[in-house]
Each structure stands twice: as structure tokens, then as C-alpha cells.
Amino acid sequence: MNLKDIIKSLRNSEHYSIRLIYYFLKPFWLARRFITDAYYRSAVITGLRSGNKYYQRSSFTKTDRYPVVFAACAHYLQSNSHPHILSFGCATGEEAATLGKYLPGAMIAGTDINEWCIRTCRNSYNDNKRLRFFNRHSDEFNNCGGFDAIFCMAVFQNTANRLNKNNETAKYLTFSQFEEELKALDAKLNNGGLLVTDNCDFSFTDTAIAVHYKPLVFPDNLIERDRPLFDRNNRKIAETQHIYRVFVKDGK
Ligand SMILES: C[S@@+](CC[C@H](N)C(=O)[O-])C[C@H]1O[C@@H](n2cnc3c(N)ncnc32)[C@H](O)[C@@H]1O
């Protein structure tokens, strides 16, 4: 058992006195973690700086996490030998690097709100000249645009919306924030470009800009996800989602 598990077992004890020990030790354990764990420290600092604009706080990701989606997007973009791609909420960069393999001529930008993620991306992919990474609060992000595809995977969600016992209403990331972010990303996407979302608390089709988009036709674009769906008013309307992931911008 590591220290984290020992502390958790104290919290779940049947004995009040042992649970008290947990509440006494927890601040020391968090302080130790803040000092020794650079990722945790950065997540805390990002939370303090960005508040409710810091949506999904976990930076879990992996190489080739969405192979069906990536393959369909690469097929759609095949006539463009040098597409410009944005990975929004890129975490430690595996998504951007994977997209580089599916799209060998692409220039790929990754952005994240957590500066530790951006540092990690730059260190890991320093030798790949087709990849660049910047903080979403940077001028580079504000000024970037002209993308042929924007991927927003597992970013527009907040774990508390999904897992809190009383989650009839989405409070920690709201629909208006989701819609505002997508409007801003829409302005960075070329006509005919792809907007890709997955693992969200809301449906892209509920946003005002969705009228300018059509789902890309490919098997498994419509997917079932075992997670709650919230509507424009932040009310939970389903425990399971049936959502399209890849949309083509028609720009009319
Ligand atoms: C679960 S990771 C997703 C990584 C990758 N896109 C994937 O699907 O595997 C979510 C990332 O979104 C980032 N994030 C959270 N809020 C953000 C925001 N407002 N703008 C940009 N990135 C954000 C987090 O720091 C985290 O690294």
C-alpha cells in the first residue's frame, strides 16, 4: 500500500477517531504532494489562475486514443498535402504526435491551459519540427487560425458534473462556456474544415454554430458513450450519450 492508499483507508474507516486522523493528516499530505509532484503543483496553480475556465483537470491521454476518428479525418483531409491542425486540450502531446502519423504532411499545433503540459510537450517532441505547443492563454493561441481540423477531445467536461452524487445540473462547466469556446474555435477553422469533439458533458449539435456544420459520414461517427448528457439549460437529460464526433464546416 502506498501513502495515498493508506490515507484513503483512514478516510473510509468505520471509526470516527480514525477518520479524524485522516482530516488531520490530509493538509500535510497535500502540501507534500504540492512540493514533490510538478504535475499536481501545476494543476493547483492552473486552478487558482483560471478558476472555472479550467475544465477537465486530469491530463490523462494516450497515443492513438481515437483511431477510428483519426483515420476518418485523415481520409477526409487526404487531398490537402499540408493541412493545419489544432489539438485543443493537448495534455502531454500524444494526440498531436499521433495526428502527425496519420497526416504525414500536416503542421500540428497543440494548446493546453496547464503550463506543465506545455513544457512536457516541448521536451518530449522538441525534435519534431511539425509540432508546436503553446499555452491557451498565450498570444500565439489568440493569433492562431486557418486550421483545417480542430480536435477538442476530452476537454469540455468536468469530472464533478459527471460523477457528483447530485448531478442533475451541470454546475462546474456550463453550456454557455462550452458554446462560447466552440464559437471561438469556429472562428479559427477554415470552411470545409473538421471540428471534432468527444468525451464532452454537452452535445455540439445543441450549440448555435452547429447549423453551419454537418456530421462527416463514416461508420461509427455516431457513438454511444456511457456518460451523462446535459442540455442548453445545464439539465441532465440522459445517462447515456448518442453523439456524433466529427463535423464538417460548410461555412454558409
Ligand atoms: C483529459 S486531457 C485530454 C487530452 C487529449 N485531448 C485526449 O483526449 O487524450 C484534458 C486536457 O484539457 C486541458 N484543459 C482543461 N481546460 C482547458 C481549457 N480551458 N483550455 C485548454 N485546455 C484545457 C487540461 O489541462 C488537460 O490537459
Side-chain angles (χ1 to χ4, degrees):
M1 241 194 207
N2 62 27
L3 185 62
K4 188 176 174 186
D5 293 331
I6 293 171
I7 291 178
K8 272 191 182 162
S9 71
L10 297 177
R11 183 184 62 188
N12 297 330
S13 167
E14 291 171 1
H15 301 286
Y16 177 67
S17 52
I18 294 185
R19 288 205 303 276
L20 265 187
I21 297 175
Y22 165 79
Y23 288 109
F24 176 75
L25 287 180
K26 192 178 172 192
F28 294 100
W29 176 65
L30 291 179
R32 177 182 173 276
R33 201 170 163 206
F34 187 84
I35 292 163
T36 59
D37 179 342
Y39 165 68
Y40 176 72
R41 189 164 57 245
S42 182
V44 171
I45 292 169
T46 307
L48 292 173
R49 278 196 189 140
S50 304
N52 71 351
K53 291 209 168 88
Y54 189 17
Y55 311 138
Q56 170 58 289
R57 294 180 179 217
S58 156
S59 287
F60 171 80
T61 187
K62 60 182 187 176
T63 297
D64 208 6
R65 188 171 178 187
Y66 312 94
V68 174
V69 166
F70 293 152
C73 293
H75 182 72
Y76 175 82
L77 292 167
Q78 65 189 340
S79 60
N80 184 342
S81 48
H82 300 293
H84 286 253
I85 309 293
L86 176 66
S87 166
F88 183 85
C90 63
T92 40
E94 286 80 348
E95 182 175 293
T98 300
L99 286 165
K101 299 220 162 94
Y102 278 88
L103 296 158
M107 296 303 292
I108 300 161
T111 190
D112 201 284
I113 201 167
N114 182 326
E115 189 55 30
W116 176 87
C117 288
I118 297 303
R119 275 201 308 276
T120 304
C121 291
R122 287 177 181 154
N123 289 339
S124 306
Y125 300 106
N126 187 31
D127 53 350
N128 188 334
K129 299 299 170 224
R130 293 193 295 120
L131 305 183
R132 65 193 168 111
F133 297 97
F134 40 80
N135 194 296
R136 73 84 32 97
H137 288 311
S138 63
D139 288 343
E140 216 173 340
F141 176 71
N142 292 335
N143 298 331
C144 73
F147 292 108
D148 300 298
I150 298 181
F151 291 80
C152 321
M153 314 301 266
V155 54
F156 295 128
Q157 56 170 332
N158 187 298
T159 310
N161 277 351
R162 192 165 72 254
L163 299 182
N164 271 10
K165 274 187 198 145
N166 179 4
N167 72 344
E168 291 309 308
T169 306
K171 296 183 192 136
Y172 302 92
L173 162 64
T174 60
F175 183 83
S176 58
Q177 288 178 291
F178 172 69
E179 189 171 49
E180 279 311 302
E181 288 281 20
L182 285 166
K183 264 190 205 162
L185 291 173
D186 171 60
K188 294 179 181 294
L189 185 66
N190 292 335
N191 288 341
L194 299 177
L195 187 60
V196 190
T197 60
D198 201 354
N199 290 320
C200 294
D201 290 340
F202 307 96
S203 171
F204 171 68
T205 51
D206 284 342
T207 65
I209 57 166
V211 292
H212 303 298
Y213 287 80
K214 290 190 187 78
L216 182 67
V217 179
F218 68 93
D220 298 327
N221 191 6
L222 183 66
I223 193 175
E224 179 177 313
R225 288 252 180 245
D226 186 17
R227 52 181 300 142
L229 178 68
F230 299 87
D231 68 6
R232 289 186 60 84
N233 299 311
N234 301 305
R235 281 183 309 231
K236 185 165 70 177
I237 51 165
E239 293 293 352
T240 303
Q241 299 187 359
H242 296 88
I243 45 135
Y244 286 103
R245 298 179 284 177
V246 186
F247 294 85
V248 184
K249 178 173 176 175
D250 68 15
K252 285 172 202 135

